[in-house]
């Protein structure tokens, strides 16, 4: 299976390195060096399965488009995986990337082997979605999560997309229903092995999930257990 990747990057040398590394690897690249045409490229190909983009790699700093805004648009308007590239390696920058809906965040200089592994991890989910037509959901109270399609139905709401990280966090909470799951455990679920008490990545993901679950101040489906982490609730 060929995976079609939109590479939004203005560093032409890096573009050539990436394309050379992935030559004959099952990945096919379409490049936009400014970011201005990225959404048009994705949307113009959506109607043709043989040409549809399945994964986007987006630099944050682009000549004609804010990379974080583009990541948000791709997350909101499409169902493709999004990896953000950035020379900014602070925790706040990584959180900002994930907060916009990116599935992953990789710092520059880019290790091409690491990039390949991250891309293949996202592709495993993509391949399953195209091959599995199962309607089996994981259900808890009024929450329904599709374990393969990475979608959520809450109450009477329409089905909505979850990012890879959101999906993993919600599945972990449901799997541990009735007890608190620590931030460290949730961080491990999304592939972060360098967690520290000051890391806010999990909190950002919980905030996004609460918004999608329409949690209210006095009635939350995800509750904070002080000193222990988070817990899914029937209330």
């Amino acid at each position: 299976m060929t995976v079609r990747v939109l590479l939004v990057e203005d560093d032409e040398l890096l573009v050539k390195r990436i394309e050379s590394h992935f030559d004959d690897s099952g990945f096919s690249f379409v490049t936009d060096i400014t970011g201005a045409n990225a959404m048009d490229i994705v949307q113009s190909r959506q109607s043709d399965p043989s040409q549809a983009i399945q994964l986007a790699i987006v630099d944050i700093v682009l000549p004609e488009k804010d990379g974080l805004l583009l990541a948000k648009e791709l997350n909101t308007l499409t169902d493709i995986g999004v990896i953000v590239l950035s020379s900014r390696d602070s925790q706040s920058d990584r959180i900002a990337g994930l907060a916009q809906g990116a599935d992953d965040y990789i710092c520059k200089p880019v290790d091409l082997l690491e990039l390949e592994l991250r891309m293949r991890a996202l592709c495993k989910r993509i391949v399953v979605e195209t091959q599995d037509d199962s309607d089996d959901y994981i259900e808890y109270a009024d929450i329904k999560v599709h374990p393969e399609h990475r979608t959520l139905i809450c109450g009477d709401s329409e089905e909505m997309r979850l990012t890879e990280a959101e999906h993993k966090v919600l599945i972990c909470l449901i799997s541990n229903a009735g007890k608190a799951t620590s931030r460290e455990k949730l961080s491990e679920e999304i592939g972060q092995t360098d967690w520290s008490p000051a890391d806010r990545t999990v909190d950002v993901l919980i905030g996004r999930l609460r918004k999608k679950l329409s949690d209210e101040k006095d009635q939350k489906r995800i509750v904070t257990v002080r000193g222990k982490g988070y817990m899914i609730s029937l209330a």
Side-chain angles (χ1 to χ4, degrees):
M1 173 186 173
T2 297
V3 177
R4 285 161 294 281
V5 183
L6 173 63
L7 177 57
V8 189
E9 170 62 63
D10 64 333
D11 184 335
E12 295 185 21
L13 180 58
L14 178 56
V15 169
K16 291 179 180 178
R17 287 181 58 223
I18 290 174
E19 291 177 338
S20 176
H21 177 83
F22 287 96
D23 189 33
D24 297 325
S25 65
F27 292 91
S28 174
F29 287 86
V30 178
T31 303
D32 176 11
I33 63 173
T34 69
N37 301 313
M39 284 302 302
D40 288 339
I41 291 171
V42 173
Q43 292 177 333
S44 66
R45 290 166 166 254
Q46 281 183 319
S47 61
D48 184 353
S50 68
Q51 297 297 319
I53 300 293
Q54 292 137 318
L55 182 65
I57 301 172
V58 180
D59 188 12
I60 285 184
V61 181
L62 297 165
E64 298 183 25
K65 185 82 172 183
D66 182 283
L68 289 180
L69 177 59
L70 176 57
K72 183 177 182 179
E73 290 176 353
L74 289 168
N75 174 62
T76 303
L77 302 175
T78 78
D79 193 31
I80 67 177
V82 180
I83 297 176
V84 165
L85 299 183
S86 177
S87 56
R88 305 169 186 171
D89 60 359
S90 71
Q91 181 188 123
S92 60
D93 289 320
R94 182 172 63 183
I95 289 174
L98 294 174
Q100 297 301 333
D103 294 287
D104 213 336
Y105 188 103
I106 298 180
C107 294
K108 294 182 176 180
V110 178
D111 182 310
L112 295 179
L113 179 57
E114 178 186 4
L115 176 61
E116 180 179 352
L117 292 174
R118 301 284 188 93
M119 289 170 64
R120 292 192 184 281
L122 274 180
C123 286
K124 288 181 181 178
R125 184 264 302 169
I126 294 168
V127 170
V128 169
E129 286 186 5
T130 59
Q131 293 180 348
D132 185 0
D133 294 326
S134 171
D135 290 328
D136 292 335
Y137 288 85
I138 294 173
E139 298 187 34
Y140 186 81
D142 63 346
I143 301 169
K144 296 172 64 177
V145 184
H146 200 290
E148 307 295 351
H149 295 182
R150 209 182 63 177
T151 54
L152 164 70
I153 297 174
C154 182
D156 296 326
S157 70
E158 294 183 1
E159 192 168 41
M160 65 191 84
R161 178 183 180 272
L162 296 172
T163 67
E164 186 82 358
E166 291 169 351
H167 183 257
K168 288 180 177 179
V169 167
L170 185 54
I171 291 293
C172 184
L173 290 174
I174 292 174
S175 299
N176 292 278
K179 61 181 180 181
T181 304
S182 69
R183 289 176 172 84
E184 182 175 10
K185 170 64 176 175
L186 293 172
S187 183
E188 291 174 357
E189 287 293 317
I190 62 173
Q192 283 188 210
T193 58
D194 57 347
W195 182 85
S196 72
D199 194 324
R200 299 282 296 172
T201 305
V202 167
D203 301 323
V204 169
L205 292 171
I206 291 293
R208 283 178 11 203
L209 281 172
R210 281 174 168 163
K211 185 175 181 180
K212 290 184 177 181
L213 292 168
S214 300
D215 274 2
E216 300 174 356
K217 183 176 180 180
D218 299 325
Q219 184 177 4
K220 291 186 179 297
R221 294 177 177 84
I222 299 177
V223 298
T224 303
V225 182
R226 187 178 297 275
K228 294 185 177 180
Y230 294 103
M231 181 175 68
I232 200 82
S233 172
L234 281 169

